[in-house]
Amino acid sequence: MRRALALAERAGAAGEVPVGALVVRDGELLAEAGNAPIASCDPTAHAEIVALRSAAQAQSNYRLPGATLYVTLEPCTMCVGAMIHARLARVVYAAAEPRAGALHSQLQLADCQHYNHRLQVASGLEAEASAALLQNFFRARRQRS
């Protein structure tokens, strides 16, 4: 998760919301990314999506069975959907996203019985550091406005 936090810091320094993600399988780093929707002019370029795309390309497979995605913020609905479609084994997120979190905070998509894949979820790893990074980013943004 510390590596994901470093990616989040880089994204924040570039003016993106500071979120970082990485995909790991069997101890091997498959891909990593920071948020990039502004720089890429792509509303889907959340750190999770960019990391999943990169991992899938690296593996020449749109499925990533047995892989874990580590991310600094609880994923949104779009990102959870992509994780399910990629057949990730697990997602570990740091800070909760009380407004739009789709794993625990607002929705519990991993618990939905109608999906044909089950995603294991863990949370709280480096939560304070991730929350502080986000709070500082938005505080600084409000001060500039």
Side-chain angles (χ1 to χ4, degrees), residues 28-49:
E28 177 189 356
L29 177 65
L30 301 180
E32 60 184 18
N35 254 5
I38 298 167
S40 64
C41 298
D42 179 356
T44 69
H46 291 191
E48 302 95 309
I49 299 294

Side-chain angles (χ1 to χ4, degrees), residues 5 18 72 95 126-139:
L5 283 167
T72 58
E126 296 288 345
E128 290 179 17
S130 179
L133 183 62
L134 288 156
Q135 289 166 351
N136 292 338
F137 174 82
F138 286 112
R139 184 177 302 117

Side-chain angles (χ1 to χ4, degrees), residues 57-72:
Q57 286 289 319
Q59 299 298 298
S60 297
N61 192 344
Y62 73 109
R63 303 276 198 222
L64 298 166
T68 297
L69 186 137
Y70 294 88
V71 62
T72 58

Side-chain angles (χ1 to χ4, degrees), residues 23-139:
V23 180
V24 175
R25 182 169 51 205
D26 299 326
E28 177 189 356
L29 177 65
L30 301 180
E32 60 184 18
N35 254 5
I38 298 167
S40 64
C41 298
D42 179 356
T44 69
H46 291 191
E48 302 95 309
I49 299 294
V50 177
L52 286 171
R53 284 180 183 151
S54 182
Q57 286 289 319
Q59 299 298 298
S60 297
N61 192 344
Y62 73 109
R63 303 276 198 222
L64 298 166
T68 297
L69 186 137
Y70 294 88
V71 62
T72 58
L73 184 64
E74 181 181 1
C76 71
T77 305
M78 174 185 68
C79 292
V80 173
M83 290 173 208
I84 291 169
H85 286 294
R87 301 299 192 264
L88 285 182
R90 186 170 168 234
V91 60
V92 178
Y93 69 87
E97 210 312 14
R99 296 171 106 179
L103 291 172
H104 290 132
S105 296
Q106 288 297 325
L107 300 171
Q108 295 77 40
L109 294 181
D111 297 334
C112 291
Q113 298 301 307
H114 62 275
Y115 293 123
N116 62 351
H117 177 71
R118 296 287 167 259
L119 183 63
Q120 295 176 356
V121 178
S123 63
L125 183 62
E126 296 288 345
E128 290 179 17
S130 179
L133 183 62
L134 288 156
Q135 289 166 351
N136 292 338
F137 174 82
F138 286 112
R139 184 177 302 117

